[in-house]
Amino acid sequence: MVSATMCRSAVLGAVTLSLFAVPAQAAPLKTAAGPRAATTLPAPDTTGLAAVLRSVVAKGAPGAMARIDDGTQVYRSAQGIADRATRRALTTTDRFRVGSITKTFSAVVLLQLVDEHKLALDAPVNRYLPGLLPDDRITVRHVLSHRSGLYDYTNDMFASSVSGFEAVRNKVFTYRQLVDMSLRKARTNAPGAAYSYSNTNFVVAGMLIEKLTGHSVRTEYENRIFKPLKLDDTSYVHPDTKIPGRHANGYLTADRAGAAPVDATDQTVSWAQSAGAIISSARDLDTFYSALVRGKLTSAARLAEMERFTRVNANTSYGLGLRRRDLSCGISVYGHTGAVQGYYTYSFTSKDGRRSLTALANASNSSDVLNTLATTLEPVFCGKQKAARTAAVPLEREDVAPAAPREQ
């Protein structure tokens, strides 16, 4: 139900925009100490956010939406459609594939295992998975921080986005098959020498989880994260192809200009698994990242390890399965990006976890859509003070393959 005191809703053909504030669904958790507390953040520029979402749709996404949890209020904004066939409007409660945001979940499980003294971050991966990797110098820390040098097999798998996707849409891989694809190629750097984003790293993370616990990653995600945080919209259904419940369909932009987008909603995501196969909602992701930075999922020592960042570019740093984005107003936010066929997601929270944003576009393989969605962070965390200025935003890359997607 739209609050009349906050905004009005408009329907123009198939495009729907709604923006409103409602009481948060739960009282704020105890706040952890940290710089730039949420009380010092400017009010979110919800008008600016809605404008960004309209622009995402104008760039070619069927729909775009965002949810801000600001501690005492929840702001929701949605534009466009969830399904090109039925023309159903996209809503902020729709579930979707989160792509590489899965990496943060995998990292959390492994850091919990460190807390349980079942794993050492600076131990070789081969200590736990004997003979898996060709270099005993590759440590668990290297894997979780993308500094292992392991080649990203998705570079080859998705060299052609649409045909590559159709070739694996219904396939089921073992972890070992995916790692073997990587090991056929030379490593990108010596262990620890440089940051190089690779899905292979978090396939190895999944193997570690299953070896050390004796359970599937699904069981560990559920028991350690989904259930304790009451993430009722979040699931890991691999190798099933369907998204449970009400969800947004995802559309893969064709490689050939003018061709119709491909409905990529149904897929095993077996090519990613522990690197990118979780399904969730904006509410659940806001809850997850807020809880993480507040120390609700790991010890303070493990969270500090997670937040030991390596600079990636002028605006972005990477820790252990966690990104930090430095915004134009001097505020840093923490979370991850996600790209999987049909979906782009940004999910970030403030240092103290009091303000969280999850933004989605149900499209992929479009640099215009991806780079526009990235600008949702500025109005949400920097407010109107930057509305009249153009903030510097790094060129975004897809997580499913580091090469830039097709310009359109």
Side-chain angles (χ1 to χ4, degrees), residues 98 102 105-106 109 112 217-237 277-280 284-285 287-288 297:
V98 308
T102 302
F105 286 82
S106 296
V109 174
Q112 289 180 352
V217 292
R218 176 191 301 187
T219 296
E220 293 303 311
Y221 292 151
E222 290 175 349
N223 291 342
R224 294 173 177 272
I225 304 175
F226 300 172
K227 291 177 182 178
L229 293 183
K230 296 181 172 60
L231 306 184
D232 296 332
D233 296 331
T234 306
S235 58
Y236 182 87
V237 302
I278 282 177
I279 294 161
S280 193
D284 281 6
L285 292 183
T287 299
F288 169 64
L297 292 171

Side-chain angles (χ1 to χ4, degrees), residues 142-222:
H142 292 153
V143 164
L144 294 181
S145 59
H146 291 297
R147 294 187 297 120
S148 68
L150 294 170
Y151 179 79
D152 190 344
Y153 58 87
T154 66
N155 288 334
D156 302 321
M157 186 178 283
F158 302 121
S160 175
S161 296
V162 174
S163 62
F165 166 65
E166 294 293 7
V168 301
R169 179 199 282 263
N170 295 307
K171 279 192 175 180
V172 177
F173 295 95
T174 66
Y175 284 130
R176 187 60 190 248
Q177 286 174 323
L178 298 174
V179 172
D180 286 347
M181 290 181 198
S182 168
L183 297 181
R184 293 187 194 118
K185 294 296 184 77
R187 278 170 280 158
T188 57
N189 50 260
Y195 170 91
S196 182
Y197 191 92
S198 175
N199 285 287
T200 310
N201 289 311
F202 279 81
V203 170
V204 173
M207 296 179 76
L208 286 167
I209 290 169
E210 296 195 347
K211 178 64 179 292
L212 293 169
T213 65
H215 301 140
S216 68
V217 292
R218 176 191 301 187
T219 296
E220 293 303 311
Y221 292 151
E222 290 175 349

